[in-house]
Amino acid sequence: YKAQAEVLYQEGVTGKALLSYFEEGKKEFVPWIQEYTRDHLFAVTFHQALKEKLRRGEKRKGTPGSERDSDTKVRLSEEVLQQQTPAMETEESGGPKLTENPAGGDYAKALVEAEKREAGDAKISKFLPMVLLTVCTLFIPGFTAIAKEEAKRMKDKNIEGILIFGRKCFLQVVKEFRRLRKAYIDGAILRFCILAGQSGIGKSLAFSQIYMREAFIQGEKVAFYSVREDTIYLFRMEDGKYTCQQAEVNDHGFWKTKAWKTFDGRSAHLIIDPAPSQGHKYFKVHLVEAFVVYLTSPNSELSNFEKEIRDLTWKRFFVPTLAIEESKVIAIELKENPSVFLERMKRTGGQLREFIREDKYELFKGYQDDAWAGIAANEYIHFGDLKVSSRIYSVQPSSTDETLLYSEKYVIVPQSEWVKSKIFQVYAAKHFKNFTGLDGEKWFFAKTYKGCKLLARRLPKNLADAKKKKKNDDREIKMHEFPAHSTLRTFSDGVERQIDTCRKHIKQVAEDQKAELTVCPTNYPPSMEQQTVGHCVISSKKSVGKAYVDELKFFGASKSKKARVFFLVPQKRAEYFSISFAKDFKKIALELAEFWVVGIDLIEMIEDAQKKQSKITASS
């Protein structure tokens, strides 16, 4: 303060001058005080003290006179100078003072020195390996209670320290955030990065530890603002080791205080962990210069923060929920049964917090049942006009680069197998009373027309068994590849005059749900110049007799040009499905056609059919 006062004095600014400016209401005083606000806190504080003294002086009665007034001003200046230091401490604090947190310093040291190893094979899954950190600490900023609870739980499992699961997607995002931060330090304007993803996948706890560890290793300043705790933790390197101070953040004024201003800067990190229904709370974007990382679920916490920074440059990245392979690694490391985790994931999807503990899982099931019933749904995925329950749907990154596990774009999908099955039950009740009807066959033709792989098996079963010669024989149950067809025909192109008859037959069977349906491309029959690549027949009759053989002949089937007959059944039934032949018709039927049973993934069929207009999937 003395040094600042000397600078002001040299520039001609004295206590008397400040008082005079204030009393006379000079307009020049306003821009002057604004200019010196950042660098000369002494001047601002001094001015506030002068105002208070003047206010008190006006209340006191005294005899008028220029000499008395002059003495009052001089005495006022002297009193202000004597009391300037206490006044400045009060003004600059803006609330509670910083307090030392020795446990925080120990935590930073433990995080840097944590045992680091890889778990999981990259050949098994693109989500592996994971990087595991074993941190020996009872304190984690923003998670004080959870850290103690986890340390006790790990001790009960004979695991020393707290396990931090560094998911591969987190490591990729940390690398990208650090690249953007370097660009910001070098002069770029982007300084806000948002990490978004489904709740309970490790963003706040695991990702923040991975991110801070990299910063600590480089000796960088890191601030962690926990909205839930109304506390900010400030980490900085002093004399070769990290120290930690903390302060309560009770209003927006905190970001104006000396405590923050002396810490803030382009090279500092500020991690914000929002709280449900509170979001970023007291954070004020225009009062912070640090590089900001915001960890959030895709709900109002995200949309409100984006409004706060809408006039600035920022990036938002989405990360996926946990893959099955990741959950297996976590189960093994936590000495749990992987099959139990996998069973729970059928309901929770990849939300780690919900399947890692039985009590959390049971709570989640209740919440999910209520959400499906349309009651007590208070947790949402919220983007613009889209608002859906986060117990029913999940947000996933939508990347065109398979090597990247995060993306700026997202897609909203059914959360788990349980949700998909519920959706199918509702959809099937309305649309699939007769599975071999028009909807199923349209789907089949759309898939085979473009080329696809479906679980298929040659029929009849005894024929398949008798002629099976090698493992990859078509008669074995396997993923059968259907090549793409430039033209997919169901009627013979050998008799030109049959075109009208063919069209009439297609229309008739398509309108009669009980009859065997045959579906063709909309431009069928094609011109005679187009090459016929294959003949296909969709069938629902399990008994092959005279009528069946006559129809095969009508379709143009022959010994030299067999037709392919497909039976569409749910995938679970494909392995056991069989057909029968009427007496004296088996031999000729097998000469005219190949018979296949195809296992159809009903969920995939629904998703394909609804992709363009369904509310199940929304993307950006």
Side-chain angles (χ1 to χ4, degrees), residues 7-47:
V7 172
L8 292 172
Y9 182 80
Q10 291 173 3
E11 295 179 4
V13 182
T14 63
K16 278 191 175 183
L18 282 172
L19 185 59
S20 175
Y21 294 158
F22 175 73
E23 287 180 322
E24 295 174 16
K26 287 187 177 182
K27 294 181 180 179
E28 294 82 358
F29 182 77
V30 176
W32 180 90
I33 206 69
Q34 289 177 341
E35 180 183 348
Y36 278 82
T37 297
R38 293 194 181 120
D39 299 326
H40 296 287
L41 294 173
F42 169 83
V44 182
T45 306
F46 193 21
H47 173 241

Side-chain angles (χ1 to χ4, degrees), residues 59-236:
K59 290 184 178 181
R60 292 185 299 179
K61 293 182 180 180
T63 57
S66 59
E67 185 176 348
R68 174 66 177 269
D69 291 342
S70 178
D71 291 342
T72 300
K73 291 179 182 179
V74 173
R75 189 165 57 251
L76 178 59
S77 298
E78 291 174 349
E79 290 175 355
V80 169
L81 287 171
Q82 291 173 359
Q83 299 180 18
Q84 63 187 8
T85 301
M88 287 183 67
E89 290 175 353
T90 303
E91 183 68 22
E92 290 178 3
S93 65
K97 297 180 180 179
L98 286 173
T99 57
E100 299 294 330
N101 185 338
D106 294 339
Y107 150 78
K109 183 175 183 293
L111 190 59
V112 171
E113 297 177 352
E115 177 191 345
K116 179 181 176 182
R117 57 190 173 86
E118 290 187 351
D121 189 350
K123 295 180 181 178
I124 297 177
S125 170
K126 66 178 182 179
F127 295 99
L128 300 177
M130 299 177 75
V131 171
L132 302 185
L133 298 177
T134 304
V135 187
C136 298
T137 181
L138 294 177
F139 172 82
I140 296 178
F143 302 93
T144 307
I146 293 177
K148 293 179 180 178
E149 181 182 339
E150 277 300 297
K152 182 180 183 303
R153 202 160 70 92
M154 294 299 101
K155 187 176 181 180
D156 292 341
K157 293 175 177 287
N158 293 320
I159 299 175
E160 293 297 327
I162 297 175
L163 280 178
I164 302 296
F165 295 98
R167 302 176 60 198
K168 190 174 178 179
C169 61
F170 289 167
L171 301 176
Q172 290 183 350
V173 174
V174 167
K175 184 177 180 180
E176 177 63 10
F177 280 9
R178 290 192 64 82
R179 184 189 70 79
L180 293 170
R181 171 183 173 271
K182 183 179 184 303
Y184 173 60
I185 293 174
D186 292 341
I189 59 175
L190 188 149
R191 65 183 180 95
F192 292 94
C193 285
I194 301 172
L195 180 69
Q198 197 79 355
S199 63
I201 62 173
K203 300 183 305 295
S204 296
L205 183 54
F207 175 84
S208 65
Q209 305 311 298
I210 301 295
Y211 184 86
M212 286 196 288
R213 184 175 187 270
E214 290 300 312
F216 289 160
I217 290 173
Q218 300 301 322
E220 298 160 359
K221 292 190 296 183
V222 179
F224 188 93
Y225 174 30
S226 171
V227 176
R228 191 187 300 271
E229 294 182 348
D230 284 324
T231 301
I232 190 167
Y233 301 88
L234 306 178
F235 297 88
R236 68 185 102 202

